[in-house]
Amino acid sequence: MREWVFLWGVLGGVLGGVLGGCDLFSVKPADGEDTADADADADSDADSDADSDSDSDSDTDSDTDVDTEMCDEAFSTAEPGGPACFTDTLSCGDSVEATNEGGQSGFIGEDWESWFCTPNLDRWDYDAPERVYSMFIPALTTATFDFETPCADLDLFVAYWQDEDTCPTSANSIRECESVDDEGAGGLVSIWSDVGAYYIVVVDGRGGETGNFRLSVDCED
């Protein structure tokens, strides 16, 4: 009897080893599982690429838009009524649409150079008529001028000038001046006033050019 029990145990151990080495009881993933995972990864990559392309294209297009419709508009601008060369006064928050045509012609390229407004490397004579504004910038305030000029080669000059009743001449000295003098459709220039002061704001044309422009002023304490 003991011999039978012993033989039965040996036979069971051998049979278990044989069956354990086979793949009969191993669990395999269902058909299509690996394919589904790969498809999901591909979809995720495609969505990511599409979103990235869409955002990039949208930002680029919005940044390069230039409004040229204003060039065909008839901006009515009064003749310089004074005092002196001034067409009008500006204040924080103002926005004007005007043309330098019909303005006064009091400044030349050498003036902008001597007042350190621009290096004028191309030696422009700036013999076009100008539009000249006077503006008081309050103390501890930054005034930012947004200048648009897609219609003609116009430049913007903002210079410290404390006399609101007269305009500077070539004989005067200007201690502070900023400009938008790049070839293009305009730009921004900011002036910081620590104690509050008057500034002269001038739109002038290179080579006698005239055209429409927009000018707005925003101030921050």
Side-chain angles (χ1 to χ4, degrees), residues 7-190:
L7 292 174
W8 181 254
V10 172
L11 181 60
V14 172
L15 184 59
V18 172
L19 294 177
C22 299
D23 293 333
L24 296 177
F25 298 99
S26 62
V27 179
K28 295 185 177 180
D31 291 340
E33 257 186 59
D34 294 341
T35 304
D37 290 344
D39 291 343
D41 292 342
D43 291 343
S44 175
D45 293 342
D47 291 343
S48 175
D49 292 342
D51 292 342
S52 176
D53 292 342
S54 175
D55 293 343
S56 176
D57 293 341
S58 176
D59 291 343
T60 301
D61 292 340
S62 62
D63 291 342
T64 56
D65 290 340
V66 176
D67 178 15
T68 56
E69 294 182 0
M70 62 180 287
C71 301
D72 298 325
E73 299 181 25
F75 289 163
S76 177
T77 306
E79 294 183 1
C85 63
F86 296 108
T87 293
D88 205 348
T89 59
L90 295 176
S91 301
C92 293
D94 281 354
S95 181
V96 298
E97 295 180 333
T99 175
N100 65 323
E101 187 173 358
Q104 66 103 44
S105 295
F107 305 113
I108 58 175
E110 292 178 356
D111 295 331
W112 304 127
E113 293 175 49
S114 65
W115 296 335
F116 302 102
C117 304
T118 175
N120 195 18
L121 299 178
D122 295 324
R123 313 305 301 171
W124 291 104
D125 50 21
Y126 286 97
D127 58 350
E130 304 107 12
R131 284 296 168 185
V132 185
Y133 303 90
S134 176
M135 179 174 177
F136 180 80
I137 301 179
L140 304 178
T141 298
T142 298
T144 300
F145 298 83
D146 188 352
F147 183 52
E148 297 179 59
T149 171
C151 313
D153 198 356
L154 307 180
D155 292 342
L156 176 70
F157 302 96
V158 182
Y160 175 86
W161 183 248
Q162 276 291 68
D163 191 345
E164 58 180 316
D165 295 322
T166 65
C167 291
T169 67
S170 300
N172 296 118
S173 176
I174 300 291
R175 74 179 194 185
E176 178 187 358
C177 184
E178 300 292 341
S179 65
V180 177
D181 60 349
D182 296 328
E183 294 185 11
L188 299 172
V189 63
S190 295

